[in-house]
Amino acid sequence: MVVKVYGPAFACPKRVLICLVEKEIEFETVPVDIIKGEHKDPEYLKLQPFGVVPVIQDGDYTLYESRAIIRYYAEKYKSQGTDLLGKTIEERGTVEQWLEVEAQNYHPPIYNLVLHVLFSDKMGFPADAKVIEESEKNLGKVLDIYEERLSKSKYLAGDFFSLADLSHIPFTNYLGAMGKMYLIKEREHVSAWWDDISSRPSWKKVLELYPAPILE
């Protein structure tokens, strides 16, 4: 059964697509243009009542929330493709810890940066300079903690690439378009980690198939 993924042009669905490529799972995509408001269409809301992307359909099974989706496929196909969960229960616990760190600490400031710097004009609201300044400051504080962690291990959960690393890729990639990649590059171990995870064939394939939305 081919997995159907909704909204492939945007960052959260790309989190899912990287996982599917890493796990060697066949998929097809359905465009959903957030900028045009297609995520609020009644038919889409039947799949995702909160009106955000992504959603997956896998046969009769429908699932939304990108981190729930990548956990689902990493577990369902654990023995296929890249092992993204670790080999022991302790490694799994550490993967889950850093996946939560990404969701609760890393994502909020970088999401606000992306929204206000790159998408505000297209989505019809003014960029807030104070939000941008605070978000960059908060993201820097998070990255200082990452720098300490990555001075001790190659990846966030240890010496293996996992969902914890994968989940950071799509939004971090936007830092380049915002002219803020220095937040990564000025931290030695974070920079090496980013160079590694952003060079993975899975991410290159996703970018090739589904470029970021045109913002001009």
Side-chain angles (χ1 to χ4, degrees), residues 32 34 37-55 62-66 68-69 111 123:
V32 179
I34 294 174
E38 292 176 357
H39 58 307
K40 302 298 184 182
D41 287 350
E43 287 303 309
Y44 184 75
L45 291 173
K46 291 178 183 178
L47 298 173
Q48 217 299 9
F50 298 100
V52 295
V53 292
V55 176
T62 299
L63 187 65
Y64 52 81
E65 292 296 338
S66 62
I69 295 168
Y111 175 81
M123 298 187 76

Side-chain angles (χ1 to χ4, degrees), residues 118-149:
L118 294 181
F119 286 96
S120 59
D121 286 346
K122 283 288 185 182
M123 298 187 76
F125 65 90
D128 188 322
K130 185 175 181 180
V131 169
I132 293 170
E133 181 182 0
E134 274 300 304
S135 297
E136 183 169 335
K137 180 180 177 182
N138 291 336
L139 183 59
K141 290 178 180 178
V142 174
L143 287 170
D144 286 341
I145 296 171
Y146 279 42
E147 179 68 9
E148 172 66 19
R149 170 60 179 172

Side-chain angles (χ1 to χ4, degrees), residues 20-92:
L20 295 177
V21 175
E22 290 281 352
K23 299 304 293 181
E24 301 172 2
I25 300 167
E26 289 187 61
F27 62 88
E28 60 185 32
T29 60
V30 180
V32 179
D33 194 330
I34 294 174
I35 294 171
K36 293 180 179 178
E38 292 176 357
H39 58 307
K40 302 298 184 182
D41 287 350
E43 287 303 309
Y44 184 75
L45 291 173
K46 291 178 183 178
L47 298 173
Q48 217 299 9
F50 298 100
V52 295
V53 292
V55 176
I56 64 96
Q57 289 181 305
D58 190 343
D60 295 330
Y61 185 58
T62 299
L63 187 65
Y64 52 81
E65 292 296 338
S66 62
R67 295 173 191 84
I69 295 168
I70 64 177
R71 285 178 167 111
Y72 168 72
Y73 282 112
E75 182 65 47
K76 182 176 181 179
Y77 295 96
K78 186 168 173 55
S79 62
Q80 178 175 310
T82 306
D83 182 356
L84 299 170
L85 296 173
K87 299 186 184 307
T88 67
I89 190 65
E90 290 77 17
E91 288 180 349
R92 173 67 178 268

Side-chain angles (χ1 to χ4, degrees), residues 24 31 42 59 77-78 116 127 147 175 185 188 190 192-193 209:
E24 301 172 2
Y77 295 96
K78 186 168 173 55
H116 283 265
E147 179 68 9
L175 290 176
K185 295 302 181 182
E188 177 185 356
V190 171
W193 168 74
L209 291 173

